[in-house]
């Protein structure tokens, strides 16, 4: 409807179909169709054609013109208001490890819901080492990791506990391992060292979700968070040493003061040491 009204306003003001079409960068046949559609919807004639170029506005066109101008102005004002509101949102980035994305992230996002109108939220997945670097370099506002790493410029808070298990086809010679920098790989290497195991065959997989799917099909074995397993996947407990902490990371000195206020409120709202 607004395109039809824009075309009507253009021809009403120019009294010339060719000029009006040129103003809106339309072909004259397309422009004429718009005017015909508007006349059909209103069940009235808006312009009397006199010859090839001369046109005259009807009485109904004169009545419609001020209303059409107001409608277009109101529509533009509404678009500007929404655009201004969207531009006012602050960029807020969360970087989560593959394990915390399925265990902790939903809780963190829920805690941010009271502030969602203020934020342009972005969530991305990385391994723990990369997330630590992103927080230190102010490339993310919040980080969620499972590896007990520390770095200057980064505040770390334990907010949950997680249980690692040995899962999959326990008789298989194939080990499914995450990439370097992954929190799960850190603990897997610890397990293999303690058990004096040298894997016969290794497949590197850069996703806990893919590892969980392979384990559910009986393809290989892996150290993985119990909470990320597909129901029915065989697993065995590997002891208290593999009940690990999950951490929330924030920059020690936030660059965006308004985001730092939200982070402070978030930290107060989240209890410490939850069991997943």
């Amino acid at each position: 409807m607004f395109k039809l009204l824009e075309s009507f306003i253009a021809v009403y003001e120019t009294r010339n179909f060719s000029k009006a079409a040129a103003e809106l960068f339309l072909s004259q046949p397309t422009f004429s169709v718009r005017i015909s559609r508007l006349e059909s919807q209103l069940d009235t004639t808006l312009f009397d054609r006199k010859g090839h170029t001369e046109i005259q506005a009807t009485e109904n066109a004169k009545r419609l013109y001020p209303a059409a101008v107001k409608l277009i102005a109101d529509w533009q004002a509404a678009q500007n208001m929404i655009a201004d509101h969207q531009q006012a949102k602050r960029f807020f980035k969360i970087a989560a490890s593959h394990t915390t994305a399925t265990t902790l992230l939903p809780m963190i996002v829920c805690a941010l819901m009271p502030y969602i109108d203020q934020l342009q939220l972005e969530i991305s997945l990385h391994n723990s080492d990369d997330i630590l670097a992103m927080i230190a370099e102010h490339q993310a506002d919040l980080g969620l990791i499972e590896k007990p790493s520390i770095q200057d410029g980064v505040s770390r808070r334990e907010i949950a506990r997680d249980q690692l298990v040995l899962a999959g086809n326990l008789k298989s010679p194939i080990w499914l391992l995450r990439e370097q920098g992954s929190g799960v790989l850190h603990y897997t290497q610890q397990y293999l060292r303690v058990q004096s195991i040298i894997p016969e065959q290794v497949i590197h997989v850069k996703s806990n979700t893919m590892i969980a799917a392979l384990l559910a099909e009986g393809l290989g074995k892996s150290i993985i968070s119990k909470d990320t397993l597909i129901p029915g996947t065989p697993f065995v407990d590997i002891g208290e040493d593999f009940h690990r902490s999950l951490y929330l990371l924030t920059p020690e000195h936030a660059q965006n003061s308004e985001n730092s206020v939200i982070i402070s409120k978030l930290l107060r709202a989240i209890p410490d040491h939850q069991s997943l």
Side-chain angles (χ1 to χ4, degrees):
M1 175 58 73
F2 290 103
K3 293 184 182 298
L4 303 186
L5 292 176
E6 286 175 344
S7 299
F8 163 74
I9 291 170
V11 73
Y12 185 93
E13 292 176 346
T14 62
R15 295 294 201 274
N16 186 293
F17 272 75
S18 297
K19 289 181 180 179
E23 281 186 3
L24 297 181
F25 302 100
L26 296 171
S27 66
Q28 190 162 338
T30 299
F31 190 86
S32 297
V33 167
R34 285 189 179 183
I35 298 299
S36 295
R37 284 181 58 195
L38 183 59
E39 289 179 326
S40 177
Q41 289 186 25
L42 296 175
D43 192 23
T44 190
T45 299
L46 296 172
F47 300 102
D48 290 326
R49 285 77 168 175
K50 295 185 178 181
H52 292 293
T53 58
E54 186 181 355
I55 62 172
Q56 184 175 347
T58 65
E59 289 302 314
N60 279 336
K62 294 175 183 178
R63 296 186 184 96
L64 177 62
Y65 176 74
V69 170
K70 185 177 186 305
L71 280 170
I72 295 297
D74 288 345
W75 173 240
Q76 187 61 56
Q79 289 179 306
N80 292 340
M81 179 179 62
I82 292 172
D84 290 343
H85 177 71
Q86 290 175 331
Q87 291 170 1
K89 289 189 175 185
R90 299 189 305 281
F91 186 72
F92 194 99
K93 183 169 184 177
I94 300 174
S97 69
H98 290 256
T99 296
T100 62
T102 55
T103 54
L104 282 181
L105 184 61
M107 177 186 69
I108 297 297
V109 174
C110 285
L112 285 171
M113 282 299 103
Y115 318 105
I116 196 65
D117 287 343
Q118 308 170 35
L119 304 175
Q120 182 63 53
L121 195 60
E122 179 183 307
I123 299 169
S124 57
L125 295 182
H126 309 270
N127 66 44
S128 293
D129 283 355
D130 289 343
I131 293 171
L132 191 68
M134 291 172 70
I135 297 295
E137 296 168 8
H138 295 277
Q139 295 177 7
D141 297 282
L142 287 179
L144 298 171
I145 68 171
E146 70 266 21
K147 187 175 179 180
S149 303
I150 56 174
Q151 184 167 325
D152 290 342
V154 177
S155 295
R156 188 186 75 181
R157 174 177 165 184
E158 181 183 349
I159 59 173
R161 299 282 293 171
D162 180 43
Q163 180 183 355
L164 291 173
V165 295
L166 175 60
N169 181 355
L170 304 184
K171 295 182 179 180
S172 173
I174 301 172
W175 281 83
L176 308 178
L177 303 183
R178 288 287 307 281
E179 76 283 359
Q180 288 295 330
S182 161
V184 172
L185 181 64
H186 168 82
Y187 285 97
T188 301
Q189 291 171 331
Q190 178 181 326
Y191 177 83
L192 294 175
R193 185 169 58 251
V194 169
Q195 299 295 323
S196 300
I197 296 173
I198 299 176
E200 295 179 37
Q201 300 178 43
V202 170
I203 299 176
H204 292 282
V205 184
K206 293 185 177 182
S207 165
N208 279 354
T209 303
M210 285 192 286
I211 289 178
L214 292 169
L215 296 177
E217 294 296 326
L219 302 173
K221 57 190 174 185
S222 186
I223 304 296
I224 191 170
S225 170
K226 180 181 175 182
D227 292 295
T228 63
L229 287 175
I230 294 173
T233 304
F235 70 88
V236 293
D237 194 321
I238 52 177
E240 286 291 329
D241 289 343
F242 295 90
H243 289 205
R244 59 181 178 167
S245 298
L246 302 181
Y247 303 96
L248 186 148
L249 307 180
T250 57
E252 283 187 355
H253 307 289
Q255 290 184 324
N256 187 312
S257 59
E258 293 175 318
N259 280 2
S260 67
V261 171
I262 290 178
I263 291 171
S264 297
K265 292 178 179 178
L266 177 69
L267 293 175
R268 289 196 295 270
I270 297 174
D272 290 326
H273 313 305
Q274 298 183 80
S275 295
L276 300 175

